[in-house]
């Protein structure tokens, strides 16, 4: 399968540390969970190891190594608010992070491929922000998909 990933720049930080990393994350409406590559987890973050980690596989059906779960504060550049979100930490991922349906359902009002924008509202009552999407061409050997309806036990 060949396609394009929509990307946005998102800030992530540990709830315990003030410093923040901005990274490029793919928006994936087929991913049942949020993913972050292990080397992108900010310093000071606590990765919780799971007794029974969820099974996550690549587009080719190969297992992706799960390290644990981390809660990160997510923020969009130019938007003052940040929201906590759980990410599954994986060893290998083509993008620094994948924002799946948990993040999309909570924060995205609409995605407009024709305009190349995503309308985001991080907090209820906050003015929605139109964020420009970036496209990245990928092929099936590098797209990572998470199982739909993935439940993250804590």
């Amino acid at each position: 399968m060949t396609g394009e990933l929509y990307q946005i720049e998102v800030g992530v930080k540990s709830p315990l540390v003030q410093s923040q990393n901005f990274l490029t994350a793919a928006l994936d409406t087929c991913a049942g969970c949020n993913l972050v590559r292990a080397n992108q987890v900010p310093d000071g973050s606590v990765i919780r190891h799971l007794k029974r980690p969820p099974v996550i596989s690549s587009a080719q059906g190969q297992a992706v190594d799960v390290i644990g779960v981390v809660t990160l504060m997510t923020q969009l550049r130019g938007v003052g608010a940040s929201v906590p979100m759980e990410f599954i930490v994986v060893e290998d991922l083509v993008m620094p992070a994948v924002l799946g349906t948990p993040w999309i359902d909570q924060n995205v009002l609409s995605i407009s491929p024709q305009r190349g924008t995503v309308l985001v509202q991080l907090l209820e009552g906050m003015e929605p922000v139109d964020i420009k999407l970036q496209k990245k061409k990928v092929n099936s050997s590098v797209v990572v998909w998470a199982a739909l309806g993935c439940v993250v036990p804590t």
Side-chain angles (χ1 to χ4, degrees):
M1 177 173 142
T2 301
E4 294 176 334
L5 284 178
Y6 289 110
Q7 306 172 92
I8 61 173
E9 193 172 23
V10 63
V12 293
K13 73 180 197 96
S14 165
L16 307 173
V17 179
Q18 291 301 318
S19 65
Q20 174 170 268
N21 301 346
F22 274 92
L23 51 85
T24 301
L27 284 178
D28 189 345
T29 58
C30 291
C33 52
N34 302 306
L35 302 170
V36 64
R37 195 167 51 211
N39 66 359
Q40 297 296 312
V41 175
D43 292 339
S45 301
V46 177
I47 299 174
R48 300 181 311 278
H49 296 278
L50 305 171
K51 292 178 185 173
R52 289 176 291 164
V55 176
I56 298 177
S57 58
S58 69
Q60 296 172 315
Q62 297 169 329
V64 175
D65 292 330
V66 173
I67 297 170
V69 176
V70 64
T71 300
L72 298 174
M73 300 301 292
T74 59
Q75 178 181 6
L76 299 172
R77 193 176 292 282
V79 178
S82 60
V83 294
M85 189 61 54
E86 276 199 341
F87 287 81
I88 295 178
V89 182
V90 295
E91 194 62 47
D92 192 28
L93 194 61
V94 66
M95 298 292 298
V98 172
L99 300 174
T101 55
W103 194 88
I104 292 168
D105 290 348
Q106 181 177 320
N107 301 297
V108 173
L109 299 175
S110 67
I111 299 173
S112 176
Q114 293 83 10
R115 289 189 1 211
T117 61
V118 59
L119 188 61
V120 176
Q121 184 178 30
L122 292 182
L123 297 172
E124 194 171 320
M126 184 179 154
E127 189 70 29
V129 178
D130 226 5
I131 304 292
K132 184 80 174 148
L133 291 169
Q134 305 162 7
K135 289 184 182 179
K136 177 177 178 152
K137 192 80 167 165
V138 294
N139 62 42
S140 62
S141 64
V142 295
V143 178
V144 175
W145 299 96
L148 288 175
C150 164
V151 176
V152 182
T154 55

